[in-house]
């Protein structure tokens, strides 16, 4: 329980202290949007790295060299834990917005940081609004901002097999022309979800696959891009057992 208490205290203090920081970032943004964007990114990444440290996570990272440094990408991870966001965002080399459920917009301060960092809030119940959100994501990627989406749609409690991917979730890569980076995460639910309310030190594997460029795929692969990407992630997950 001590790790949970320390984590909650840190999150509360960070959100409290970050209120004036957000104001300063707003002023900086008036003069240099790029400086404000990257300082906001590094501040949140620092906070996430502290949470990872408090939680006692031993992280093995594989294939980070597969992430292009000179273009926006669409990160596509499997999803087992709330920690998936913390683990992956802490390692993003450049500006990256996450696609989150629209209920997150109601969380004070936290949602302000998300907006500042180009995160989008998806209403899964309204197809028209959902399409607008995806179009904003496409536009952001064309401007050089990477995006991350969890195509399973929610956290998967079946750790042996991923849920089917929602095909429409990968439209941002198709329409922007940016590559997809498949991301395989193993054992993240063991940090918290598997033994609520305790946070438990554990070994997590985070693997980045080779970029998937839709223009290089066959017509059949592009038609079922979600299934194709899911297969790439599953293949990586299948190799993680021997590494734990």
């Amino acid at each position: 329980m001590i790790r949970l208490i320390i984590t909650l205290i840190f999150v509360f203090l960070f959100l409290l202290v970050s209120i004036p920081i957000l104001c300063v970032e707003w002023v900086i943004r008036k003069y240099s949007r790029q400086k404000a964007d990257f300082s906001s990114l590094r501040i949140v990444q620092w906070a996430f790295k502290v949470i990872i440290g408090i939680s006692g996570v031993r992280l093995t990272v594989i294939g980070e060299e597969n992430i292009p440094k000179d273009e926006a990408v669409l990160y596509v991870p499997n999803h087992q834990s709330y920690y998936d966001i913390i683990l992956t965002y802490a390692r993003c080399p450049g500006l990256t917005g996450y696609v989150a459920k629209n209920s997150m917009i109601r969380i004070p301060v936290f949602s302000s940081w998300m907006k500042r960092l180009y995160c989008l809030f998806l209403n899964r119940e309204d197809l028209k609004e959902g399409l607008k959100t995806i179009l904003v994501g496409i536009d952001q990627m064309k401007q050089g901002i990477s995006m991350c989406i969890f195509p399973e749609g929610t956290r998967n409690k079946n750790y042996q097999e991923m849920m089917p991917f929602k095909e429409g979730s990968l439209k941002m890569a198709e329409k922007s022309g940016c590559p997809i980076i498949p991301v395989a995460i193993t054992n993240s639910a063991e940090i918290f979800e598997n033994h609520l309310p305790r946070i438990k030190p554990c070994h997590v594997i985070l693997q980045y696959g080779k970029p998937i460029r839709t223009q290089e795929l066959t017509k059949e692969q592009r038609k079922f891009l979600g299934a194709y990407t899911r297969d790439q992630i599953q293949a990586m997950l299948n190799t993680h057992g021997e590494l734990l």
Side-chain angles (χ1 to χ4, degrees):
M1 284 294 290
I2 187 66
R3 290 182 187 273
L4 175 63
I5 293 170
I6 295 173
T7 299
L8 291 176
I9 291 173
F10 173 78
V11 171
F12 174 77
L13 291 176
F14 172 77
L15 292 177
L16 186 64
V17 172
S18 70
I19 294 174
I21 294 176
L22 278 168
C23 296
V24 173
E25 292 288 283
W26 180 83
V27 173
I28 296 174
R29 191 181 177 92
K30 290 290 183 180
Y31 297 95
S32 175
R33 177 174 175 174
Q34 185 179 38
K35 286 183 179 179
D37 284 346
F38 276 93
S39 61
S40 294
L41 172 68
R42 300 311 178 202
I43 288 169
V44 173
Q45 286 184 320
W46 169 81
F48 282 175
K49 287 174 182 177
V50 171
I51 292 172
I52 292 169
I54 293 172
S55 302
V57 176
R58 182 166 64 91
L59 185 63
T60 296
V61 181
I62 304 169
E64 208 162 19
E65 69 278 2
N66 289 324
I67 305 174
K69 302 299 186 292
D70 57 351
E71 60 183 326
V73 303
L74 178 66
Y75 296 100
V76 179
N78 60 308
H79 195 21
Q80 298 180 349
S81 168
Y82 290 118
Y83 268 81
D84 295 336
I85 299 167
I86 296 171
L87 294 166
T88 54
Y89 198 81
R91 305 198 70 87
C92 290
L95 289 174
T96 305
Y98 276 52
V99 179
K101 54 186 178 181
N102 63 339
S103 60
M104 300 287 287
I105 202 169
R106 295 194 291 268
I107 304 176
V109 186
F110 186 73
S111 61
S112 296
W113 278 109
M114 292 180 71
K115 292 174 185 176
R116 182 66 56 85
L117 291 168
Y118 299 95
C119 293
L120 302 177
F121 302 92
L122 182 64
N123 185 349
R124 298 191 182 101
E125 307 301 322
D126 189 326
L127 292 178
K128 187 176 180 180
E129 286 300 315
L131 177 59
K132 289 181 180 179
T133 301
I134 296 301
L135 290 175
V136 173
I138 293 169
D139 185 57
Q140 290 186 170
M141 292 182 71
K142 288 180 178 179
Q143 294 177 42
I145 300 166
S146 295
M147 297 298 298
C148 178
I149 192 167
F150 295 95
E152 290 174 280
T154 188
R155 287 178 296 121
N156 181 13
K157 297 180 181 179
N158 179 2
Y159 307 138
Q160 302 302 316
E161 185 176 2
M162 287 181 289
M163 295 185 289
F165 280 12
K166 300 180 186 302
E167 292 291 337
S169 62
L170 304 186
K171 288 295 182 184
M172 286 187 288
E174 289 185 88
K175 299 300 182 181
S176 67
C178 296
I180 295 169
I181 301 296
V183 183
I185 308 170
T186 292
N187 218 35
S188 57
E190 191 60 28
I191 304 171
F192 183 56
E193 281 83 357
N194 284 356
H195 37 70
L196 296 170
R198 292 186 300 128
I199 290 178
K200 179 181 176 183
C202 70
H203 181 200
V204 175
I205 299 172
L206 172 61
Q207 182 172 3
Y208 299 90
K210 293 183 178 180
I212 299 171
R213 300 184 183 274
T214 57
Q215 60 270 30
E216 298 175 359
L217 300 179
T218 66
K219 184 178 180 180
E220 187 71 10
Q221 289 170 335
R222 288 196 302 271
K223 183 178 180 181
F224 300 103
L225 183 58
Y228 178 82
T229 304
R230 180 181 180 275
D231 288 344
Q232 307 307 305
I233 297 172
Q234 189 65 58
M236 290 188 285
L237 291 173
N238 292 343
T239 68
H240 289 181
E242 59 194 44
L243 301 175
L244 290 174

